[in-house]
């Protein structure tokens, strides 16, 4: 039985409408969910269903938001947040407190208990740990999310974090997630029960952050055709969109 899985990856875009349109076209999405609750963070968003996983794009609604600072720090659109679904939030909370990692937001509702941890304490991105009640749901995708699945991709398999010191960040995430790190070539891999988080050295001058998302692809030919029609640079089954490498497996 799983106790922790990668359920959602969030990217930040300066222009939500433009990014949303491009992702719809590339991934074969025709409907999404906008969470009004994100007004609390001065954000607007789009959550797209990718099988049983989710891709979110957030965009700041005003000056001086965390998302706005991410855009400035990383010189444009890019990765923002990793959301892990857990089955025992209390043990995760105990571990996070024992590691003296600060929480920046908490929810304690009938349908979800969750918290975000400080990106400065864990490194590279905001991380959210979320326990859903019931476990098969995902409230952040809104009602009826199963009816909105992408046509071209069927799951987010993993995400890649880049850092000046990838080993140090990988070990910090390993402590926070309570999962071991494996070294594969020059990559540090954090294997969840479902989903993979990799850590590589940052070489593009954009600093620490989410740099890639891996998708399980329904039909590689269709994705490639969509990318070429959009005049995206398709290389080795990947494109760059929203400051993030999208890799199709």
């Amino acid at each position: 039985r799983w106790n922790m899985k990668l359920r959602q990856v969030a990217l930040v875009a300066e222009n939500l409408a433009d990014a949303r349109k491009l992702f719809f076209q590339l991934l074969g999405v025709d409907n999404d969910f906008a969470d009004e609750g994100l007004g609390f963070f001065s954000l607007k968003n789009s959550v797209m269903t990718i099988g049983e996983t989710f891709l979110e794009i957030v965009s700041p609604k005003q000056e001086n938001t965390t998302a706005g600072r991410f855009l400035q720090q990383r010189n444009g659109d890019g990765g923002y947040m990793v959301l892990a679904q857990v089955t025992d939030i209390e043990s995760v909370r105990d571990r996070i407190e024992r590691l003296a990692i600060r929480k920046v937001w908490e929810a304690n509702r009938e349908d979800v208990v969750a918290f975000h941890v400080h990106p400065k304490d864990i490194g590279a991105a905001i991380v959210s740990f979320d326990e859903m009640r019931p476990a098969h749901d995902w409230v952040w995708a809104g009602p009826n999310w199963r009816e909105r699945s992408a046509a071209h991709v069927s799951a987010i398999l993993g995400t890649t974090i880049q850092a000046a010191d990838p080993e140090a960040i990988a070990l910090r995430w390993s402590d926070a997630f309570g999962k071991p790190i494996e070294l594969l070539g020059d990559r540090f891999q954090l294997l969840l029960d479902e989903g993979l988080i990799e850590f590589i050295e940052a070489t593009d001058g954009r600093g620490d952050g989410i740099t890639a998302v891996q998708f399980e692809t329904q039909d590689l030919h269709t994705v490639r055709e969509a990318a070429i029609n959009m005049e995206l640079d398709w290389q080795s089954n990947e494109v760059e969109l929203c400051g993030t490498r999208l890799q199709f497996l």
Side-chain angles (χ1 to χ4, degrees), residues 12 35-45 56 58-62 65-68 80:
V12 58
D35 187 349
E36 297 298 324
L38 258 69
F40 171 80
F41 302 104
S42 301
L43 295 176
K44 50 191 175 180
N45 79 335
E56 179 183 19
V58 302
S59 194
K61 287 167 79 170
Q62 62 188 54
T65 62
T66 305
Y80 182 63

Side-chain angles (χ1 to χ4, degrees), residues 11 34 48 53 66 111 129 132 136-137 157 162 172 175 178 183 197 209 213 215 233 235-236 238 242 246-248:
L11 310 177
M48 304 170 209
T53 57
T66 305
D111 54 355
F129 294 105
M132 293 290 146
H136 58 75
D137 211 353
L157 298 173
Q162 68 173 32
R172 207 176 308 164
D175 286 344
L183 182 60
I197 304 171
V213 179
F215 294 92
D233 183 21
Q235 299 281 344
S236 306
E238 71 173 63
C242 200
L246 309 179
Q247 301 167 328
F248 298 96

Side-chain angles (χ1 to χ4, degrees), residues 65-231:
T65 62
T66 305
R69 287 191 287 278
F70 265 78
L71 287 168
Q72 287 171 345
Q73 284 162 11
R74 306 206 65 225
N75 300 314
D77 297 358
Y80 182 63
M81 191 169 177
V82 171
L83 293 87
Q85 184 177 356
V86 303
T87 53
D88 182 4
I89 193 82
E90 292 311 319
S91 69
V92 180
R93 190 196 306 277
D94 290 347
R95 186 164 61 244
I96 292 297
E97 288 174 356
R98 195 168 63 247
L99 293 165
I101 294 174
R102 290 169 290 174
K103 297 192 284 290
V104 291
W105 175 83
E106 295 187 67
N108 194 342
R109 301 181 353 202
E110 199 175 323
D111 54 355
V112 59
V113 180
F115 58 86
H116 299 174
V117 301
H118 203 302
K120 283 191 173 150
D121 289 357
I122 197 165
I126 300 170
V127 172
S128 180
F129 294 105
D130 304 70
E131 184 184 319
M132 293 290 146
R133 298 171 179 175
H136 58 75
D137 211 353
W138 189 252
V139 299
W140 311 131
N144 310 318
W145 56 262
R146 287 180 178 82
E147 296 164 19
R148 295 193 291 268
S149 204
H152 302 165
V153 288
S154 50
I156 291 175
L157 298 173
T159 186
T160 305
I161 310 286
Q162 68 173 32
D165 187 345
E167 184 175 12
I169 297 284
L171 291 170
R172 207 176 308 164
W173 283 52
S174 172
D175 286 344
F177 280 73
K179 297 286 184 185
I181 287 289
E182 293 177 7
L183 182 60
L184 187 71
D186 60 350
R187 293 169 177 264
F188 297 91
Q189 296 192 325
L190 179 65
L191 276 153
L192 307 187
D193 300 305
E194 290 179 28
L196 172 70
I197 304 171
E198 293 189 315
F199 302 83
I200 62 169
E201 189 176 350
T203 57
D204 60 5
R206 295 194 68 199
D208 295 6
I210 296 166
T211 190
V213 179
Q214 294 82 37
F215 294 92
E216 183 176 70
T217 310
Q218 302 271 51
D219 181 352
L220 200 56
H221 176 76
T222 307
V223 179
R224 183 176 175 275
E225 289 296 299
I228 290 166
N229 289 338
M230 294 163 70
E231 300 183 345

